[in-house]
Amino acid sequence: MNAGRKSITLRLTLLFAAASTAVLLALGLVVGDTVDRHFVEQDMAAMNGRMQIAAHLLAGARSPGDLAALRQHLESEMAASHHGLGGMAVAVLSGEDGAQTIIRTPGVDFPANLLDRSRIADAPRVWHRGEQPWRGIAAPLPTGIDGWPPALVALAIDISHHERFMASFRRTLWLFVAIAAMLTGFLGWAAVRRGLMPLSALRREAAAVTASRLDRRLPAESVPAELAELAETLNDMLARLEDSFRRLSDFSGDIAHELRTPLSNLMTQTQVALARARSADEYREVLASNAEEYEHLAHMIGDMLFLAQADHGLVVPNREPVDLAAQVRELFDFYEALAEEKGVRLSLEGKGEVPGDRLMLRRAIGNLLANAIRHTPTGGGICVRIEVAGNGAVILSVENTGETIPPEHLPRLFDRFYRADPSRRREGEGAGLGLAITRSIARAHGGEITVRSEPEGTRFELRLAK
């Protein structure tokens, strides 16, 4: 395994752990902020309540002496327990500049910005004096003394207990988040491992497929739906590989057989010729026979080279108007002697023209005619029909009255070296490449070839685009 390549298990585990940690962190922040705001709201409710009491007392003062008398009353109100957390600090200042202090809780240092009338705000202020935190508010409250400006009343709560609680709460919360992130990461790893078990099973099944066991298939029906399509795709690929491997194996066997026979003939004739001294005419006869075998080999190799080029898309036909009827008539002239020798009738019906390579199309039609003459019995007939189909395609069909080809042979008639009757392999029928070449030529022209065999005869149909 490549050390720099992360496994799916690791990636999914990290992704799951990261997502879980992010959610827990967000949840922790929301919870922490909610608790902190709850304390702020609680403090504000308490200070606003005390502020209303102070407003009521100040409104009842009718003289500076009354203000002085309020000191004890206000201090007792502020000293009352605030949710069990102790009292509040209070400062009451009079005068426009706040120079006169009416009440101030000893030991509590209110910040200057809180006591500044021009900077009074609705939000509470938080400050520290030493290690002690405070939260406070201030508001101008009118007195009952005629002509006096409103007194500035500032209230403050010691929030040390709140901050200690929040610090402890946050430590506990982040510890829980860290443990939960590690736990979810481990659970994610276990879940991913279990979820990928079917994939591991597929890997083991795929590893068991070898060249000698291409018939094995992956169990698509026993894997999850997400992997079923992958398994079916791999099974389709294995089926294609099995078919290609079988065809390649058959092709190798066929080509070895086709080459062995002429080579054996050449070796035998040469050894016999060299066995004793012979006349010049006898040597000439042996060489002529050898030349015939060489020609057969050269022809077969040329056909195989053509098919190899066609398989790789290297056969690019020229595009010129080709009169199919004219090509058929010329081929009739070529095969006339052979047809007459076998007592086979040749006929042509229809006409048509297609764009294509004249020599290639002539070769394809010639292969079909040669095949038809070969399999038509004496007294039979071969009819070539040229028709124009409804979609504009031109159909050239070659029908013969030969024996019916069994249905199981029809799908493989265009395979290389395939013969429906193997016993006729060396009866002058060629190498068995003619129909394969015809199909390659048809496909190179964007067409196709089909075959149908019935008791009335066999029909090869070459369909070409016009």
Side-chain angles (χ1 to χ4, degrees):
M1 179 182 293
N2 191 334
R5 188 181 305 164
K6 295 183 176 61
S7 69
I8 293 178
T9 301
L10 178 60
R11 293 184 183 194
L12 292 179
T13 300
L14 292 177
L15 183 62
F16 186 74
S20 301
T21 302
V23 172
L24 290 172
L25 285 173
L27 181 62
L29 290 174
V30 170
V31 172
D33 182 67
T34 301
V35 173
D36 191 48
R37 281 192 289 108
H38 169 72
F39 285 138
V40 173
E41 292 172 356
Q42 190 178 53
D43 292 344
M44 287 298 295
M47 288 189 291
N48 286 332
R50 297 298 193 282
M51 190 66 77
Q52 290 178 2
I53 293 174
H56 176 72
L57 293 175
L58 289 172
R62 302 301 178 189
S63 64
D66 292 342
L67 288 178
L70 291 177
R71 176 189 299 275
Q72 185 177 0
H73 198 173
L74 274 174
E75 287 180 346
S76 65
E77 287 290 342
M78 300 307 158
S81 176
H82 159 57
H83 297 289
L85 302 178
M88 295 183 189
V90 60
V92 179
L93 306 178
S94 66
E96 291 294 340
D97 55 356
Q100 183 179 357
T101 301
I102 300 174
I103 302 171
R104 181 184 288 270
T105 302
V108 178
D109 188 10
F110 288 88
N113 58 1
L114 183 67
L115 302 179
D116 188 348
R117 289 176 182 269
S118 62
R119 300 173 64 182
I120 291 176
D122 294 334
R125 297 179 187 277
V126 176
W127 70 93
H128 289 74
R129 284 293 180 264
E131 296 181 355
Q132 188 172 14
W134 292 87
R135 177 178 290 120
I137 59 174
L141 298 177
T143 66
I145 304 173
D146 294 336
W148 275 54
L152 179 66
V153 179
L155 300 176
I157 294 178
D158 181 359
I159 58 174
S160 301
H161 180 79
H162 293 170
E163 293 211 342
R164 286 195 297 271
F165 176 82
M166 288 303 300
S168 175
F169 175 78
R170 288 192 177 95
R171 282 196 300 272
T172 304
L173 182 64
W174 298 137
L175 179 63
F176 171 79
V177 169
I179 295 174
M182 289 188 289
L183 182 61
T184 53
F186 173 75
L187 294 176
W189 173 80
V192 171
R193 289 276 299 177
R194 184 171 181 78
L196 292 179
M197 286 178 66
L199 192 60
S200 299
L202 279 183
R203 183 188 60 78
R204 289 192 296 271
E205 291 290 337
V209 177
T210 61
S212 60
R213 303 177 68 183
L214 284 174
D215 58 334
R216 289 179 66 95
R217 294 294 182 267
L218 304 180
E221 66 284 350
S222 60
V223 298
E226 291 83 356
L227 296 178
E229 291 187 3
L230 174 63
E232 291 172 356
T233 302
L234 291 175
N235 283 339
D236 292 341
M237 182 191 68
L238 287 174
R240 293 193 297 272
L241 284 176
E242 183 184 13
D243 182 67
S244 299
F245 197 81
R246 179 183 56 76
R247 289 173 182 270
L248 181 62
S249 179
D250 294 345
F251 177 76
S252 300
D254 289 339
I255 195 172
H257 181 85
E258 293 296 332
L259 291 175
R260 183 182 63 183
T261 302
L263 287 176
S264 296
N265 292 340
L266 288 170
M267 290 180 60
T268 301
Q269 291 183 54
T270 302
Q271 289 171 351
V272 170
L274 294 176
R276 61 180 177 81
R278 298 179 184 275
S279 64
D281 290 340
E282 290 175 327
Y283 283 124
R284 189 176 296 107
E285 182 179 352
V286 171
L287 291 176
S289 177
N290 287 353
E292 183 179 351
E293 292 294 345
Y294 286 134
E295 184 179 357
H296 174 72
L297 284 173
H299 184 70
M300 183 172 61
I301 292 172
D303 289 346
M304 290 170 56
L305 180 60
F306 178 86
L307 289 171
Q309 291 174 333
D311 288 344
H312 292 82
L314 300 178
V315 175
V316 181
N318 297 323
R319 293 293 177 180
E320 59 179 325
V322 179
D323 185 344
L324 295 179
Q327 298 303 316
V328 172
R329 282 192 290 271
E330 291 179 7
L331 287 168
F332 277 2
D333 293 339
F334 180 79
Y335 287 108
E336 182 179 9
L338 180 60
E340 287 182 355
E341 181 182 349
K342 291 196 63 175
V344 174
R345 302 183 305 280
L346 300 177
S347 61
L348 170 64
E349 298 177 6
K351 60 181 180 179
E353 184 178 283
V354 296
D357 190 300
R358 186 179 62 81
L359 293 180
M360 285 190 188
L361 292 177
R362 181 187 177 93
R363 186 178 184 181
I365 300 171
N367 287 341
L368 294 177
L369 279 177
N371 182 72
I373 292 173
R374 190 178 302 123
H375 295 283
T376 302
T378 302
I382 298 172
C383 179
V384 178
R385 288 189 178 87
I386 302 174
E387 304 166 295
V388 178
N391 58 359
V394 176
I395 301 173
L396 185 148
S397 60
V398 179
E399 298 179 32
N400 69 77
T401 56
E403 295 180 359
T404 303
I405 302 174
E408 64 270 19
H409 294 298
L410 294 179
R412 298 197 59 194
L413 278 185
F414 299 101
D415 291 353
R416 300 167 190 181
F417 299 114
Y418 186 80
R419 293 180 178 83
D421 184 1
S423 64
R424 304 175 71 176
R425 183 179 292 269
R426 288 294 297 171
E427 293 180 0
E429 295 189 0
L433 297 173
L435 292 179
I437 290 175
T438 301
R439 182 174 62 177
S440 296
I441 292 174
R443 290 180 175 176
H445 284 77
E448 192 51 84
I449 184 170
T450 58
V451 59
R452 184 173 69 246
S453 187
E454 298 171 344
E456 294 80 12
T458 299
R459 174 188 174 102
F460 286 87
E461 192 172 280
L462 180 61
R463 183 180 293 265
L464 299 168
K466 189 173 182 179

